[in-house]
């Protein structure tokens, strides 16, 4: 273990949106819920659909909302991601 943890995630969508025809994508939304623990009763607070050229930035740790990726119903969801990491300062 490195002692580092993810603070922020940036997802960059490489496909999706209304102009897609050859590689049509249906589904694959990132869904954010209210609360910290999953339950069938957690209300959806935000749903982000993949769209080519768009980015989604969200926090982790204390700033993380409960989230998941919806099932891809057609096509392939193509994205890349970056994580910003932190680690605690070492004491001497």
């Amino acid at each position: 273990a490195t002692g580092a943890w993810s603070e922020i995630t940036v997802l960059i969508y490489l496909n999706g949106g209304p102009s897609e025809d050859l590689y049509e994508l249906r589904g694959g939304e990132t869904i954010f819920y209210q609360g910290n623990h999953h339950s069938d009763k957690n209300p959806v607070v935000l749903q982000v659909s993949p769209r080519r050229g768009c980015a989604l930035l969200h926090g982790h740790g204390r700033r993380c909302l409960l989230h998941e990726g919806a099932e891809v119903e057609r096509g392939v969801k193509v994205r890349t991601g970056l994580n910003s990491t932190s680690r605690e300062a070492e004491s001497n």
Side-chain angles (χ1 to χ4, degrees):
T2 66
W5 63 90
S6 174
E7 293 274 343
I8 297 172
T9 293
V10 179
L11 298 177
I12 302 168
Y13 296 106
L14 303 177
N15 71 331
S19 64
E20 297 290 330
D21 51 7
L22 181 60
Y23 301 106
E24 182 181 6
L25 175 62
R26 289 190 193 157
E29 297 85 358
T30 301
I31 304 169
F32 292 90
Y33 300 94
Q34 184 175 337
N36 295 328
H37 302 287
H38 185 66
S39 157
D40 291 336
K41 298 177 183 174
N42 287 88
V44 173
V45 294
L46 179 66
Q47 186 167 317
V48 179
S49 297
R51 189 176 190 112
R52 182 177 48 195
C54 290
L56 171 63
L57 181 138
H58 65 90
H60 280 175
R62 293 180 301 271
R63 297 177 299 192
C64 187
L65 291 173
L66 182 64
H67 63 283
E68 68 179 345
E71 181 179 345
V72 173
E73 299 167 5
R74 181 174 176 182
V76 176
K77 181 177 176 180
V78 182
R79 65 157 182 87
T80 188
L82 305 169
N83 288 320
S84 168
T85 58
S86 296
R87 65 174 59 178
E88 289 187 42
E90 295 181 23
S91 58
N92 293 327

